[in-house]
Amino acid sequence: MRKSYYIFLLIYCLCACQTSRKGEIYFSGEELFLKKTDLVIKDTSLLGNYEMIPFELNKFSGIKTIDKILLFEDKVGVVDLGLRAFFVFDRQGNFLYEINHVGDGPGEYTQLLDVCLDPVDSCFVFLTFPKGILVYNYADEFKYSIKLEEAAHKIAAQRITVQGDYIYLLVPDRAGYDRQEYSMMALNRRNGKKTYLLEQGIRPVESLWTHGYSLVPGRDAVYYMQRYTHRIYKVKGEKCTPFYELNLGKFELPDHMLQEGLDKPRFMNELSDRWSVFCLTNFCELPRGFMLSSNLPGLFYYDYQKEELDHFDGILNEDYGIELYSSTPVEPVGKDVAFILDNLMLANMKEHRRETETPALKALLDRLPDDPNPVLFLYSQKK
């Protein structure tokens, strides 16, 4: 009897401590398996009513790339990291003002890395280099700064979000930076306490860029999507809890592309020959499930009631007769979901007009200049 007990205990320990094919200690979150792919869904099946917001273009409001959409009061904020600027429009798309404090003085920065909202204190929180965190109120008045520890003039964090008393920061994973032991830091802004969360995952190659955000605020927690593993963590206070692990079937990277220290050009060449996901982004909570983007076109959607994870090539807006893709990504914007038609896409649509355009699309393209600003489709969540 005693011998059988020890055999059972040994087997249990081996199973409990097993490593997954993704190279880390057993993940305790729920595993979800991809079921359906190559789908297109109508926007009305998944989302509620929408606003179409064409951003005004003038000599002060030219947007190069929309990196993030933030909603506050009755306004829309647009983050353009390439221009190191934050543009503010009203809900009709009229340009109001720009925050662009590039310089060396108080409240100024050299590089803009990210922007998030602090809705409790009604402030914009800028993550910058080399000044660290800079905070401005909604009237664009500089309030205060928080210095981050920069080692040898290297960036200390590359993504930021705020929830409650905590500022959450992702450490860099770009080429040229020392590999950090932890992925994330929680900074209690009331007492200054720093808590390091979650050991770094695997990193086959350095500095793979993708549009979208892997650290996003939810209704009552922050969500972190770990690269390569397709794991989602739920972060609240100083606790980081495994939430979901997505098994993406035909979109999974093969085992040999999940090894440390791979040659980047070879990795990229092989990635271009296959339809694989290395990065999930923009986790967005919906009443009936959650939606997220990836480095591939299209969207993943998990339905809580059906317990199904599906991939949609696009979401069809029937009024305009266009499909909305993750290449114009879903952004986590609180109670709303945003899709973006970018400058190049709109310019191409204007240049190649079609007889099959819907009346709504025809009216939109007729009013836009040849080199337009992006257009935002802002959906409410369907209950």
Side-chain angles (χ1 to χ4, degrees):
M1 181 69 180
R2 182 179 295 271
K3 183 177 180 181
S4 299
Y5 169 77
Y6 283 120
I7 292 175
F8 168 79
L9 184 63
L10 176 61
I11 294 173
Y12 174 82
C13 290
L14 288 172
C15 292
C17 298
Q18 66 181 318
T19 57
S20 74
R21 77 177 190 89
K22 296 171 182 176
E24 296 182 13
I25 298 299
Y26 177 77
F27 182 80
S28 61
E30 181 180 355
E31 188 170 13
L32 307 179
F33 292 86
L34 183 66
K35 291 192 175 181
K36 299 175 184 176
T37 61
D38 306 316
L39 304 172
V40 173
I41 191 172
K42 295 179 181 179
D43 55 358
T44 52
S45 300
L46 196 60
L47 301 166
N49 298 326
Y50 71 91
E51 304 168 58
M52 188 278 295
I53 305 174
F55 292 122
E56 177 189 358
L57 178 63
N58 59 38
K59 63 180 181 179
F60 303 107
S61 66
I63 299 169
K64 183 179 179 181
T65 302
I66 293 183
D67 291 290
K68 205 177 206 180
I69 292 288
L70 302 175
L71 299 182
F72 62 100
E73 298 177 336
D74 59 347
K75 302 176 181 65
V76 182
V78 174
V79 181
D80 189 328
L81 298 180
L83 295 178
R84 298 180 289 182
F86 182 67
F87 299 95
V88 177
F89 300 83
D90 66 20
R91 294 293 279 255
Q92 287 71 50
N94 299 307
F95 176 68
L96 299 178
Y97 62 92
E98 174 194 8
I99 300 179
N100 187 341
H101 298 304
V102 176
D104 296 323
E108 296 179 336
Y109 52 84
T110 301
Q111 187 174 352
L112 181 61
L113 303 172
D114 198 3
V115 181
C116 69
L117 288 179
D118 177 5
V120 175
D121 293 340
S122 298
C123 289
F124 306 121
V125 182
F126 280 44
L127 178 62
T128 72
F129 180 80
K131 296 294 184 66
I133 298 170
L134 303 177
V135 179
Y136 309 86
N137 64 19
Y138 288 170
D140 188 18
E141 297 170 334
F142 175 61
K143 304 298 290 185
Y144 62 91
S145 63
I146 301 175
K147 181 66 176 176
L148 300 176
E149 296 177 3
E150 311 286 356
H153 305 291
K154 295 179 179 179
I155 295 171
Q158 64 186 102
R159 290 289 182 262
I160 188 170
T161 194
V162 172
Q163 187 144 65
D165 289 338
Y166 290 90
I167 298 174
Y168 296 98
L169 299 156
L170 284 187
V171 303
D173 63 354
R174 302 175 184 172
Y177 295 102
D178 296 333
R179 184 171 173 82
Q180 303 294 313
E181 183 178 357
Y182 294 94
S183 295
M184 190 187 322
M185 180 180 74
L187 173 62
N188 189 316
R189 53 190 176 145
R190 305 306 178 192
N191 58 27
K193 178 185 176 184
K194 297 178 181 178
T195 304
Y196 292 91
L197 307 171
L198 190 65
E199 293 182 3
Q200 283 276 12
I202 59 173
R203 188 166 56 177
V205 294
E206 304 282 353
S207 189
L208 281 184
W209 182 90
T210 185
H211 197 71
Y213 283 74
S214 55
L215 184 69
V216 299
R219 285 189 290 269
D220 63 350
V222 168
Y223 295 94
Y224 169 58
M225 288 135 282
Q226 190 177 59
R227 282 194 173 198
Y228 304 108
T229 65
H230 312 326
R231 291 171 179 171
I232 303 171
Y233 292 84
K234 191 172 185 177
V235 185
K236 195 167 185 177
E238 299 173 4
K239 187 176 181 180
C240 182
T241 305
F243 193 40
Y244 289 116
E245 179 173 6
L246 276 54
N247 188 314
L248 301 182
K250 69 177 186 179
F251 298 125
E252 288 280 347
L253 286 168
D255 288 349
H256 71 272
M257 294 182 71
L258 293 171
Q259 307 300 316
E260 294 274 355
L262 298 180
D263 178 69
K264 184 176 178 181
R266 182 178 175 183
F267 182 94
M268 295 303 296
N269 287 336
E270 187 164 351
L271 189 66
S272 65
D273 292 335
R274 60 176 67 246
W275 206 241
S276 297
V277 173
F278 68 83
C279 183
L280 296 172
T281 62
N282 294 354
F283 180 94
C284 186
E285 292 180 285
L286 301 174
R288 298 186 299 169
F290 66 80
M291 181 187 298
L292 39 75
S293 305
S294 73
N295 57 287
L296 298 180
L299 305 161
F300 292 97
Y301 176 70
Y302 180 70
D303 189 301
Y304 290 141
Q305 186 174 8
K306 295 180 180 179
E307 297 185 342
E308 282 191 7
L309 177 66
D310 298 322
H311 180 265
F312 297 99
D313 291 339
I315 292 182
L316 176 64
N317 182 298
E318 291 187 290
D319 293 338
Y320 287 83
I322 55 177
E323 291 181 20
L324 304 169
Y325 307 97
S326 60
S327 55
T328 54
V330 179
E331 296 285 355
V333 288
K335 297 179 180 179
D336 301 275
V337 179
F339 296 84
I340 301 159
L341 292 183
D342 64 28
N343 320 49
L344 294 177
M345 183 179 298
L346 288 166
N348 184 66
M349 292 169 69
K350 280 187 65 68
E351 184 179 354
H352 302 93
R353 300 295 293 265
R354 299 175 299 163
E355 294 183 359
T356 56
E357 290 172 358
T358 67
L361 180 59
K362 184 179 185 304
L364 172 63
L365 295 178
D366 286 346
R367 66 184 283 195
L368 294 178
D370 291 336
D371 186 19
N373 251 351
V375 170
L376 180 70
F377 283 79
L378 187 63
Y379 284 85
S380 64
Q381 295 188 4
K382 187 172 184 177
K383 298 181 179 178

